[in-house]
Amino acid sequence: MSIISIKDLLFRYNDNYIFDKFNLEIESGSYTSIVGTIGAGKTTLIKILLGLIKTNSNITIDGINLSKENIRNIRKKIGVVFENPENGFVCETVMDEIAFSLENLELDHDEIDRRVKEISEYLDITHLLNRDPHRLSGGEKQVVAFASALVIEPEILIFDEAFTMLDYKYKEKIYKVLDNCNKENNTTIINVTHDLEDTIYGKDIIVMDKGKIIIKGSKEDVLREEKIFNKIGLDLPFIVELSIKLNYYGLLDKICFSNSELVESIWK
């Protein structure tokens, strides 16, 4: 069942069409990476889904038609983090910033306190709660924005280049959290990125170029299409590229998505 449905999307900026009869279905409970270079239309697509850019196209989210009248209810279902989360900070402390997301859901004070404490411990950011979010490092800001999105327990989580300032170790932690959300809570995850290294954590991949979908499918199938990525100027994840080369020389019989998986496959 589709939780997001876009039919014949038309959108142009000035005289140029960004989307011309664009169609997309995102299944409920899926974990999809949307990739493409700058100008592919990725961020514009996310802004349209959030109602930040208006269109007259037929778009439904969890069965609700995307419209001015319904946008408030739709946004309650979605947690979103952009590349520069500081632009969305409205409070003087991290604690209040995370709580603000919950206040919009009109939860009682005790429930808000419980959730803020729980998410801050879960993401190991309790030491940041009394700090000004605007004075944090770039990576810390992205984690706070992630906490604010996750704490509302949304049906859909959307990330737009949201983890670019995190170091490798903490990014691994974030992706484990996302994997748990997807598997245990059936949360639909959409990760928009230009970095194909991030796609190894998801299940499905959609590749966009100039407002069009040029390939979509499971990561196992899509990441085999090396020529397509070369054509649009995207580099395959290192471990995937190495797997393909080893397969070519008969040393491996599948694509691997982690160092441990690669080592295990080679030593069989």
Side-chain angles (χ1 to χ4, degrees):
M1 177 181 175
S2 296
I3 195 167
I4 295 175
S5 177
I6 302 174
K7 296 181 179 178
D8 295 329
L9 172 62
L10 294 171
F11 178 75
R12 65 182 180 183
Y13 182 74
N14 294 330
D15 294 327
N16 298 317
Y17 272 101
I18 307 300
F19 297 109
D20 186 3
K21 294 185 178 180
F22 179 89
N23 294 279
L24 176 64
E25 302 286 331
I26 299 289
E27 295 299 307
S28 178
S30 60
Y31 187 155
T32 305
S33 302
I34 300 180
V35 301
T37 57
I38 295 173
K42 307 185 303 296
T43 296
T44 301
L45 178 62
I46 297 308
K47 288 182 177 180
I48 288 172
L49 290 176
L50 294 172
L52 300 175
I53 296 177
K54 297 180 181 178
T55 73
N56 293 321
S57 298
N58 184 8
I59 300 174
T60 58
I61 298 176
D62 199 20
I64 303 173
N65 186 55
L66 180 60
S67 64
K68 181 179 179 181
E69 294 74 24
N70 295 332
I71 192 62
R72 179 174 174 82
N73 286 333
I74 286 175
R75 287 178 179 169
K76 287 180 179 180
K77 298 174 177 290
I78 301 174
V80 60
V81 184
F82 288 103
E83 183 175 11
N84 297 308
E86 183 174 10
N87 297 334
F89 290 160
V90 296
C91 300
E92 295 183 358
T93 69
V94 168
M95 183 184 298
D96 291 340
E97 191 64 45
I98 299 173
F100 182 73
S101 300
L102 298 169
E103 289 167 359
N104 288 332
L105 299 180
E106 300 178 352
L107 300 179
D108 64 56
H109 184 72
D110 289 342
E111 177 64 10
I112 290 174
D113 284 348
R114 184 190 70 78
R115 289 208 199 179
V116 171
K117 181 176 184 294
E118 186 178 82
I119 197 69
S120 60
E121 291 176 350
Y122 188 42
L123 297 178
D124 195 25
I125 57 170
T126 54
H127 61 292
L128 300 179
L129 288 178
N130 294 317
R131 293 182 58 183
D132 181 346
H134 296 89
R135 295 182 179 275
L136 302 178
S137 69
E140 288 170 337
K141 289 173 183 176
Q142 289 186 328
V143 176
V144 170
F146 177 60
S148 297
L150 193 62
V151 76
I152 65 172
E153 300 175 357
E155 295 178 40
I156 305 169
L157 276 168
I158 299 177
F159 305 98
D160 186 10
E161 308 286 1
F163 309 126
T164 55
M165 290 179 274
L166 295 179
D167 61 35
Y168 175 79
K169 183 178 180 180
Y170 205 92
K171 185 182 284 191
E172 284 273 304
K173 178 181 177 69
I174 291 293
Y175 278 118
K176 285 180 181 178
V177 170
L178 290 181
D179 188 56
N180 287 338
C181 287
N182 180 246
K183 290 178 178 177
E184 296 178 9
N185 303 329
N186 203 40
T187 306
T188 303
I189 298 172
I190 302 172
N191 187 25
V192 176
T193 179
H194 69 279
D195 187 353
L196 263 66
E197 294 288 346
D198 294 340
T199 66
I200 64 176
Y201 300 99
K203 297 176 182 176
D204 302 308
I205 299 175
I206 294 172
V207 182
M208 292 180 59
D209 188 43
K210 298 177 182 178
K212 299 182 183 300
I213 295 174
I214 58 175
I215 187 172
K216 64 180 295 188
S218 68
K219 68 181 178 185
E220 289 83 1
D221 291 335
V222 172
L223 290 176
R224 291 180 184 275
E225 302 296 333
E226 190 173 8
K227 290 182 179 179
I228 290 177
F229 292 108
N230 289 338
K231 184 177 180 180
I232 63 176
L234 292 176
D235 296 325
L236 287 173
F238 172 76
I239 202 72
V240 171
E241 187 173 13
L242 180 58
S243 296
I244 291 174
K245 290 180 179 178
L246 291 173
N247 176 260
Y248 177 79
Y249 289 107
L251 299 173
L252 204 63
D253 59 0
K254 67 174 185 176
I255 291 180
C256 297
F257 299 100
S258 68
N259 292 335
S260 58
E261 184 183 7
L262 178 62
V263 171
E264 182 179 345
S265 297
I266 290 174
W267 285 101
K268 276 185 177 180

